[in-house]
Amino acid sequence: MAETALTDHGEPAARAAGWRGIAADWSSDQRAFKNVSWGKAMMWIFLLSDTFIFSCFLLSYMTARMSTTVPWPNPSEVFALNIGGTHIPLILIAIMTFILISSSGTMAMAVNFGYRRDRVKTATLMLVTAAFGATFVGMQAFEWTKLIMEGVRPWENPWGAAQFGSSFFMITGFHGTHVTIGVIFLIAIARKVWRGDFDVERRGFFTSRKGHYEIVEITGLYWHFVDLVWVFIFAFFYLW
Amino acid sequence: MVDVPYEATVDVPPAEVADVELYHPKSWWTQYVFSQDAKVIAIQYSLTATAIGLVALVLSWLMRLQLGFPGTFSFIDANQYLQFITMHGMIMVIYLLTALFLGGFGNYLIPLMVGARDMVFPYVNMLSYWVYLLAVIVLASAFFVPGGPTGAGWTLYPPQAILSGTPGQDWGIILMLSSLILFIIGFTMGGLNYVVTVLQARTRGMTLMRLPLTVWGIFTATVMALLAFPALFVASVMMLFDRVLGTSFFMPALVEMGQQMKYGGGSPILFQHLFWFFGHPEVYIVALPAFGIVSDLISTHARKNIFGYRMMVWAIVAIGALSFIVWAHHMYVSGMHPHFGFFFATTTLIIAIPTAIKVYNWVLTLWRGDIHLTVPMLFALGFIITFVNGGLTGLFLGNVVVDVPLSDTMFVVAHFHMVMGVAPIMVVLGAIYHWYPKVTGRMLNEALGKLHFWVTFLGAYLIFFPMHYLGLLGVPRRYHDIGEAAFLTPSVHTLNAFMSVVALIVGLAQILFLFNLVWSLFKGKASGGNPWRATTLEWQTPETPPGHGNWGKELPVVYRWAYDYSVPGAPEDFIPQNQPPARRTAQGAAT
Ligand code: HEM
Ligand SMILES: [Cu+2]
């Protein structure tokens, strides 16, 4: 994907390789990250900050889980489904994870087609990604409903430590919110791509800045991040 | 292309980034209210922060009145006292100092000092202010709800923060936590802008190592805030759930009024870790911009280059990094494992090294300088003195064995007021005297300024220096009325009354200052573009106050660092950063 190396801001500058290159970039004027646009830099730094938020959530959950004196409900049991008479542990979560990971694939393809300025394919792939995301959130809603019917509440549950429900709703809720925001973002950008805003450099309604196809990649960064976070939640909450 | 003398283009590479497209306001509303111009946003931030800061100031008067003359003011009861300290502390630290340094000075100075036209994403920057305003309104509304604001102390320690014995348990604590969450969201939008502007939107020739220290300080503080506020965000969300939904993240099993509560299994210590993982860096979030600004004030008003610029930069970065691994020095008495105390005491003392380097460098910059005792310089000197004082008592409190008896006494209150209360406020005030001419085109009245300085500096010292002594005697903090006890000598009561009177006078001096701000706006002496004959870019703008887009048609080009004061052989005692080097010698070495 050589296209992605080109940004909207002029030609790529010649640069030294390795550490020398990094040091040269940082000590040069104008830009510390060469050929990185403002938007992309901003998204990366935001994601770093957001990483700290999720880390704090997960660490707090782990503290609660390790220090509790009452038994912790067994996730494989709690998150099992009866499908066609067979009892399959974690099946719903496995499907959800699969869907979210697949959506990262379609997102990456959308970014690629975006830089080729293929409007239709980009927009379609973004909408497919959004659809995967929406499915994920829908399945999460199903999972929440099921647990709530079984008596799980943020403050109590039938099987053990109350922090199980608290952490579960808080962490998956916070992650689900991220996915939902991502879906809205994807749809909004897909609409702009479809309409050809980035080909005619139409100005944004609020910002009055010209749009660029790069926004597809920036959306992609966010989306991959949300997927990555899910992998950690999956590992620490469901598999532990 | 700028008209650059031939030789100079050799030093300055061509522009890498096309000039930005600015948002041009179409109406009065988008020009002054929903403005996307960082300078307007800066002023909005500053005015809002000042307004809520005044509330905190008035609260400090009320607290001091109560402490100085216990029993005299029947309208201040124990509950209210707790509410006052909580709101005072939280407002001062977060809604005043953080917002003023980053949202106020950051917005105004970063684009000007790095030679940018505006922040990189002006629209997001504007949203940041409006969310901040909302946070302030939510916070202030706590004064008007049933039960009043929370009295949990600015540290909001659970379980007491959400138990019914604490005032503000109904609404106050909910509003406080919501306001904090809003503040963090708003700050993040602004903070991302500041960081990306410094990293990616500098003008030609402005390398990182040519940035004025003000920018370094604000930049590092912003990065820290982006990494530290998440912990407070998470802690606030979790405590909000504990309070509203009845979860038990922080709440252990409790008996209240003989009743077993529904809580159980949570960890109050977890909150303390989260809070101080934010809280300690927060101290440096208000200190680092102060360090940066004070360096520039000293250098400009002593007409000397800053001593050890590189060391200053590295010290700022080192302090920023180290401050993330010292947080548990606030928790020596929390009952955590003693080995942790050893670790955190060590890291705490290590931070003293870069901090001391900075103090030496300030003093060495002053050494044999051409010191002009202007008002900004006076405040800068006041900062050094109060900061050194607070730093030394910090060494006391950083050691476990010394801290344990001093913890929760007035000694702690004296320490943090010196180091993160008075010292940064000195810098804020000095900075306002320094940059007011750029913002308004007029000088602040100097006589009033000097009066303001002496009353504030001496007064603050008279309040907080004796407070150490109260702490050593064992006077506890957060006590509405210490009453009579064997360890309280009569001097304690005299001192308390004395400190309260001084506090009122210091407060009045701030009102005088506000008057000066307004009066000078209309009647102040016209300042011209560069009244202090300073080198940094913000003083070289074509217009004063700088217009929309800051620089007229062409962006400035930077040829030198920010501290070319009293260069031998130069015609003037300062050389602006955007002044090209003189002719080259045959060898090609620049003069
Ligand atoms: C004229 C200036 C000031 C006066 C007279 C003053 C006075 C006080 C008093 C009397 C207390 C309560 C002590 C106690 O009973 O525990 C207090 C607490 C506090 N003050 Fe100030 N203060 C001033 C400025 C500031 C500033 C500029 C800051 C900014 C950092 C600040 C931050 C705090 C904090 C964090 C607390 C602790 C609140 C708590 O215990 O929860 N103060 N101040
Ligand atoms: Cu600390």
Side-chain angles (χ1 to χ4, degrees):
Chain A
M1 280 203 296
E3 291 92 334
T4 52
L6 277 177
T7 67
D8 303 292
H9 302 289
E11 315 83 57
R15 45 196 301 200
W19 284 107
R20 262 169 198 284
I22 294 176
D25 286 356
W26 277 74
S27 52
S28 77
D29 63 348
Q30 304 180 55
R31 287 189 286 172
F33 303 108
K34 298 295 170 188
N35 302 323
V36 176
S37 72
W38 293 347
K40 223 194 271 182
M42 191 144 160
M43 182 52 88
W44 274 112
I45 297 170
F46 167 72
L47 294 181
L48 183 65
S49 183
D50 214 14
T51 306
F52 271 61
I53 294 195
F54 276 109
S55 312
C56 288
F57 271 131
L58 283 173
L59 283 169
S60 304
Y61 144 74
M62 290 180 212
T63 319
R65 180 157 176 176
M66 288 193 305
S67 62
T68 180
T69 47
V70 267
W72 192 264
N74 178 358
S76 322
E77 287 304 315
V78 175
F79 299 108
L81 281 187
N82 273 316
I83 300 176
T86 38
H87 188 73
I88 316 178
L90 289 180
I91 178 69
L92 185 65
I93 315 301
I95 299 174
M96 282 165 70
T97 309
F98 181 74
I99 287 180
L100 208 58
I101 306 275
S102 316
S103 78
S104 259
T106 53
M107 185 70 233
M109 287 161 73
V111 173
N112 188 359
F113 283 113
Y115 281 116
R116 293 172 197 219
R117 302 184 157 257
D118 188 332
R119 267 178 37 220
V120 178
K121 283 203 181 119
T122 311
T124 318
L125 280 164
M126 289 183 88
L127 289 177
V128 172
T129 312
F132 276 139
T135 318
F136 176 88
V137 177
M139 294 174 84
Q140 197 159 53
F142 169 77
E143 189 189 25
W144 275 42
T145 323
K146 174 174 165 284
L147 287 189
I148 291 172
M149 307 256 268
E150 288 168 2
V152 184
R153 298 287 180 275
W155 53 90
E156 67 181 7
N157 65 67
W159 313 296
Q163 282 76 14
F164 173 81
S166 335
S167 318
F168 172 77
F169 287 118
M170 182 175 71
I171 294 178
T172 59
F174 198 68
H175 178 263
T177 314
H178 272 71
V179 180
T180 313
I181 293 172
V183 169
I184 296 170
F185 211 48
L186 278 167
I187 295 175
I189 304 291
R191 171 166 170 268
K192 286 179 177 240
V193 172
W194 190 272
R195 209 166 49 178
D197 282 16
F198 303 138
D199 300 300
V200 300
E201 304 209 316
R202 182 174 159 143
R203 286 175 187 277
F205 179 70
F206 291 115
T207 59
S208 83
R209 286 252 175 103
K210 289 180 193 152
H212 300 286
Y213 271 104
E214 194 190 31
I215 190 73
V216 180
E217 189 185 350
I218 296 176
T219 318
L221 286 178
Y222 176 81
W223 193 258
H224 296 314
F225 170 78
V226 172
D227 282 7
L228 183 65
V229 167
W230 176 255
V231 174
F232 281 91
I233 296 177
F234 180 68
F236 287 124
F237 203 93
Y238 297 91
L239 294 187
W240 177 357
Chain B
M1 277 288 292
V2 190
D3 183 20
V4 175
Y6 167 70
E7 300 90 348
T9 48
V10 180
D11 302 331
V12 181
E16 288 174 18
V17 187
D19 210 346
V20 290
E21 331 152 38
L22 280 180
Y23 172 83
H24 290 289
K26 297 176 195 71
S27 68
W28 184 86
W29 283 98
T30 44
Q31 184 157 9
Y32 295 108
V33 182
F34 297 101
S35 171
Q36 301 191 14
D37 188 321
K39 294 186 292 297
V40 180
I41 297 172
I43 294 169
Q44 291 172 325
Y45 252 112
S46 308
L47 292 180
T48 314
T50 312
I52 193 74
L54 277 178
V55 175
L57 180 69
V58 171
L59 291 176
S60 81
W61 289 348
L62 295 174
M63 292 169 339
R64 273 313 333 166
L65 283 177
Q66 169 61 30
L67 289 180
F69 312 99
T72 318
F73 299 93
S74 53
F75 59 91
I76 308 176
D77 62 22
N79 276 346
Q80 271 164 329
Y81 185 79
L82 289 175
Q83 295 173 320
F84 293 168
I85 62 160
T86 308
M87 294 302 269
H88 163 83
M90 199 64 105
I91 292 176
M92 286 288 189
V93 175
I94 293 188
Y95 299 84
L96 174 71
L97 284 179
T98 308
L100 198 54
F101 270 129
L102 304 182
F105 287 105
N107 263 318
Y108 205 90
L109 294 177
I110 289 174
L112 281 166
M113 283 188 154
V114 306
R117 294 210 179 272
D118 204 325
M119 287 291 178
V120 285
F121 289 102
Y123 181 73
V124 183
N125 204 22
M126 175 188 80
L127 283 186
S128 156
Y129 168 72
W130 291 101
V131 179
Y132 165 66
L133 181 66
L134 186 64
V136 169
I137 292 172
V138 171
L139 182 83
S141 68
F143 284 107
F144 306 101
V145 294
T150 174
W154 90 284
T155 47
L156 304 177
Y157 277 7
Q160 49 89 11
I162 56 178
L163 292 182
S164 60
T166 307
Q169 192 249 4
D170 306 328
W171 286 104
I173 185 72
I174 297 180
L175 289 172
M176 170 65 85
L177 295 170
S178 318
S179 168
L180 286 174
I181 291 172
L182 285 171
F183 180 91
I184 294 166
I185 294 172
F187 169 77
T188 305
M189 295 197 253
L192 292 171
N193 256 308
Y194 317 152
V195 172
V196 178
T197 306
V198 173
L199 286 178
Q200 301 294 86
R202 282 165 284 137
T203 189
R204 294 167 59 198
M206 183 58 93
T207 61
L208 286 177
M209 280 302 177
R210 281 180 181 169
L211 287 175
L213 287 169
T214 299
V215 177
W216 268 110
I218 296 177
F219 169 72
T220 315
T222 310
V223 174
M224 290 170 62
L226 287 173
L227 305 181
F229 274 124
L232 180 67
F233 180 89
V234 168
S236 305
V237 168
M238 286 166 52
M239 201 196 295
L240 202 57
F241 285 168
D242 278 4
R243 168 66 187 77
V244 179
L245 297 178
T247 57
S248 299
F249 287 112
F250 300 136
M251 301 298 281
L254 288 161
V255 175
E256 189 180 59
M257 313 273 218
Q259 295 281 318
Q260 173 77 34
M261 297 191 73
K262 57 190 188 321
Y263 294 118
S267 161
I269 300 286
L270 173 61
F271 177 88
Q272 296 191 18
H273 280 296
L274 287 172
F275 183 86
W276 288 112
F277 184 80
F278 145 77
H280 186 83
E282 169 64 30
V283 176
Y284 284 98
I285 291 166
V286 304
L288 290 185
F291 290 176
I293 291 174
V294 89
S295 310
D296 284 358
L297 296 189
I298 289 178
S299 176
T300 307
H301 295 268
R303 317 306 296 165
K304 241 185 91 186
N305 62 309
I306 192 80
F307 187 91
Y309 172 81
R310 272 172 186 274
M311 225 194 276
M312 291 299 246
V313 171
W314 287 115
I316 288 180
V317 175
I319 293 173
L322 283 173
S323 67
F324 279 93
I325 49 167
V326 300
W327 75 89
H329 62 208
H330 296 273
M331 298 166 59
Y332 290 153
V333 295
S334 70
M336 65 180 184
H337 196 286
H339 287 167
F340 286 165
F342 175 75
F343 172 81
F344 284 102
T346 312
T347 51
T348 304
L349 298 183
I350 291 176
I351 279 209
I353 297 170
T355 315
I357 289 179
K358 297 197 73 75
V359 176
Y360 285 124
N361 284 357
W362 290 321
V363 175
L364 286 169
T365 306
L366 288 167
W367 184 255
R368 306 187 63 185
D370 172 13
I371 298 177
H372 294 43
L373 284 181
T374 53
V375 184
M377 180 54 131
L378 289 174
F379 275 106
L381 297 176
F383 162 82
I384 296 183
I385 295 172
T386 43
F387 183 75
V388 168
N389 188 318
L392 290 177
T393 50
L395 292 179
F396 288 48
L397 297 173
N399 284 291
V400 186
V401 282
V402 189
D403 178 69
V404 168
L406 287 177
S407 187
D408 270 319
T409 67
M410 278 297 183
F411 190 88
V412 176
V413 178
H415 155 72
F416 70 67
H417 275 92
M418 280 283 184
V419 79
M420 77 168 308
V422 180
I425 290 279
M426 288 279 151
V427 177
V428 164
L429 297 174
I432 294 177
Y433 282 95
H434 185 76
W435 277 294
Y436 186 86
K438 184 47 58 176
V439 181
T440 63
R442 289 179 190 273
M443 306 293 282
L444 280 167
N445 183 299
E446 172 133 13
L448 283 182
K450 290 209 162 134
L451 181 66
H452 175 214
F453 167 74
W454 286 109
V455 176
T456 309
F457 173 69
L458 294 179
Y461 229 87
L462 288 177
I463 302 169
F464 294 112
F465 198 72
M467 210 181 261
H468 292 93
Y469 166 71
L470 298 192
L472 290 174
L473 283 181
V475 176
R477 75 188 269 208
R478 292 179 176 168
Y479 265 47
H480 158 253
D481 186 347
I482 44 176
E484 296 297 336
F487 71 92
L488 297 172
T489 59
S491 61
V492 168
H493 301 292
T494 328
L495 264 181
N496 257 332
F498 169 74
M499 281 151 53
S500 300
V501 174
V502 181
L504 290 179
I505 299 174
V506 170
L508 289 180
Q510 311 316 309
I511 310 292
L512 183 73
F513 169 63
L514 292 183
F515 168 76
N516 193 356
L517 285 180
V518 179
W519 184 84
S520 300
L521 192 56
F522 301 104
K523 295 282 165 73
K525 193 163 88 227
S527 63
N530 190 359
W532 309 115
R533 300 157 54 74
T535 56
T536 40
L537 283 184
E538 82 275 22
W539 300 105
Q540 325 302 335
T541 52
E543 300 162 67
T544 298
H548 188 53
N550 294 348
W551 305 107
K553 268 173 67 187
E554 301 286 359
L555 287 173
V557 177
V558 170
Y559 301 97
R560 54 187 77 243
W561 71 335
Y563 300 99
D564 267 343
Y565 288 104
S566 308
V567 179
E572 300 244 34
D573 74 345
F574 73 106
I575 312 177
Q577 282 191 281
N578 59 347
Q579 179 167 317
R583 300 206 66 78
R584 279 156 188 278
T585 58
Q587 281 75 30
T591 45

